[in-house]
Amino acid sequence: MAMSGQRTTTGDWRSSACILCECNCGVEILIGENGRSFDRVRGDRLHPSSQGYTCNKALRLDHYQNGRTGRITRPLRRRPDGTFEEIDWDTAISEIAERFKGIQQAYGGESIFYYGGGGQGNHLGGAYSSATLAAFGARYRSSALAQEKTGDFWVSARMLGAAHRADIEHCEVAVFVGKNPYQSHGFPRARSVLKEIAKDPARSMIVIDPVHTESAELADFHLQVRPGTDIYLLTALAAVLVQEDLIATEWLTEHADGLEAVRAVLGGVPVDRYCEVSGVPEDLVRAAARRIAGASSVAVLEDLGVQMNKDSTLVSYVEKLVWLLTGNLGKRGAQYVFSSLVPIARDRGLPSEQVRRSPVVKAPIISGLVPCNVIADEILTDHPARYRAMLVESGNPAHSVADSARMREALRSLELVVVIDVAMTETARLADYVLPAPTQYEKYEATFFNFEFPRNVFHLRHPVLAAPDGVMPEPEIHARLVEAAGALGEADYAPLREAAAQGRAQFAKAFQETVAAEPRLARLVSVLLYRTLGPTLPGDAAAAAVLWAAAHRCAFENPAGVARAGHGTGLEAGDRLFDAILAGPHGVVITDDEQDETWTRLKGRRIQLDLAELLAQVAAVADRPLPEPEGDWPYVLSAGERRPFTANTILRDPAWRKRDPGGALHMSTADAERLGVTAGDRVRLTTRRGSAEVTVEPTDRMRPGHLSLPNGLGLSVPGPDGTPVVTGIAPNELTAAEDRDEWAGTPWHKHVPARLEVLEPAVAPGR
């Protein structure tokens, strides 16, 4: 594989990006003398967003590329005895296509389910998956976003008609709800920005979290909420704004509808009782509300601590009421609506009764995604509309989806499972076919998490290493599957290839005419571009062909911002933007917006404060029984906490972790004293789904009754002698699929009822 824009001799620094969180900070990698190792990793000062910043996790990326991961480099087919054999690519593609076609003919293409297509920073290949799904008539899909963000997507679409983000860097007050950006980031240069806010006496930080995290340590206000009671705390915070008349009435009159309905509900909230339930002093909640109301700008960012918790969709709704009631939209340092090259949140914001539903469970499909927690239920049934085959790409549902044992049972029951991945993941071990792809540093790759404002950045990462023989980039895999299905062929390609040879303008005209004349091609566009425009791109960058259409869409939807970013105006702006992306190994500013662009993107739509079905549930919180520990389950476990040396599970090599290699169970010092355990003691952790033995680490950062296990552990990788080794606890061996949000189906990974049993003799307290 050629490496355009990168020198190919060893000992060189090559530009790329970190792949361990959504920020995808630019990095430079020093390739070792062996031509494969990452001898050093440092921040890329030329990256327009991260500007040389990186956290400690990116420095360990050699463990992703060259560590013990279970790397596969040949297509694999399962034998009848359950073992795998290597096969050639032609055999793999033809057999897989034949089997998918057979399932399509027997049960309909909608019985073929797709999962994944966008691991952290691994989105470019997934952009081609829609063509494969179209070729086999598949309609249903899901991804990790359906475990996290769909409730937030749905509420945002209903209230604003668009997705939004928070301008943390420039705000006077930053509010983090269920988020520890010191570890999870979520915005550029996160740790540096947090420290800047903490040092500035004119700025404040408010953290809502049951754990006294690193971010809470820097905060002016830490609202250390009792686990699972966020809806009480957020509602109390919003109610203070209404009851003390701290809302932006004039601004709301100009921009929003539904204020009176919201005011009526929040005006009757018993703030003192809600604060007592949430475990946060009332005077602290009132002080935080007043600080929000008095600020010139407030930026609010919620994350998995509430999005994977009880009442997640209601919390997302009330969280937005807090910053909308105080007028914090469309101004510097507040919430904004961003541009995008490829939108990842496309929900229509329909009322729940109008939302599309999954075929068996009738679960809501938000932003095109089936809730992960119902996938097994959609398979393990005799319902005629059940899923019968699954294509998994850059995903690991056997490990990442709730109730792993049931998910494994579901995968085993399918007639066909095909996995496209780099390593022999827990899901790949259950597949009928495993198709090996290059790593994210051996191919052109990108992320579609582009949320910055006013200067939004897209980064097409160039390969820094040649891929080993035997692997195939995802765009090529999808193209071959589409062709084997008979959906595209040389008759479709030839006219467009001829036009591409004459130049980009001729190609654009021919492409538009071809797709308009044959509607069936609309869902096959990615492969059509890959096979026709792709070969004309410099540096073997055919995988980037799908970005040509995306660049033109971006230029059409954001003409002023694209022009200010230096890509010109008119019909040629899309091509200039596309060429800049191809030629920019450090990343490219795609739009440079003025502050009021948020209102342009809302297109005159008024903000909807009164979402009647959600507001009614907020009102009903007052009538709920008080939350209490569940009998035999006195603890609440947060399954999947982010810590200094945890990351997403593409980083499979356990040797990357410098601290806490086994992933200790965090508990409060008060609970440890009561149980008579100290650091290093072993306990049995049990939930309704399973149990595990784990080492404990008491800490004064935890509330009594609250436990946490880290994310990213419990993976099986080859040991030094090749024998599989599992390090730490896989959190979803302990979670239950039925514990999910009533509106979006997102899991309650952060609220798992649990109990503990001391395994090793412990000395009495006071030793």
Side-chain angles (χ1 to χ4, degrees), residues 21 74 82 87 130 146 204 222 264 326 383 405 413 447 450 487 495-496 529 578 675 683:
C21 86
R74 293 290 187 277
I87 56 176
S130 59
S204 295
H222 178 205
T326 50
H383 195 288
S413 75
T447 177
N450 314 114
L496 292 176
L529 288 170
F578 178 59
L675 291 171
V683 299

Side-chain angles (χ1 to χ4, degrees), residues 34-87:
N34 63 3
R36 299 297 300 175
S37 65
F38 291 6
D39 279 8
R40 283 184 60 196
V41 179
R42 68 187 182 193
D44 181 3
R45 296 181 182 275
L46 297 180
H47 190 277
S49 179
S50 57
Q51 302 172 8
Y53 170 91
T54 188
C55 75
N56 63 297
K57 301 183 184 187
L59 308 182
R60 311 286 286 169
L61 282 168
D62 187 59
H63 290 272
Y64 162 76
Q65 177 62 43
N66 297 301
R68 293 185 289 120
T69 63
R71 180 81 190 266
I72 48 176
T73 57
R74 293 290 187 277
L76 302 176
R77 177 177 60 197
R78 182 179 295 278
R79 299 186 181 101
D81 65 0
T83 61
F84 286 94
E85 60 183 340
E86 293 185 358
I87 56 176

Side-chain angles (χ1 to χ4, degrees), residues 177 208 225-239 266 269 274-275 277-278 305-306 309-319 321-322 614-615 617-622 624-625 627 741-743:
V177 184
I208 299 173
V225 61
R226 180 182 175 187
T229 63
D230 300 271
I231 189 60
Y232 290 91
L233 179 60
L234 266 295
T235 303
L237 196 65
L266 296 180
V269 167
Y274 278 28
C275 291
V277 171
S278 69
V306 291
N309 212 325
K310 283 190 167 183
D311 301 305
S312 59
T313 299
L314 282 185
V315 167
S316 290
Y317 173 49
V318 179
E319 169 258 309
L321 287 178
V322 168
L614 296 180
L615 188 58
Q617 288 298 309
V618 173
V621 169
R624 291 182 179 182
D741 181 69
E742 65 174 303
W743 302 98

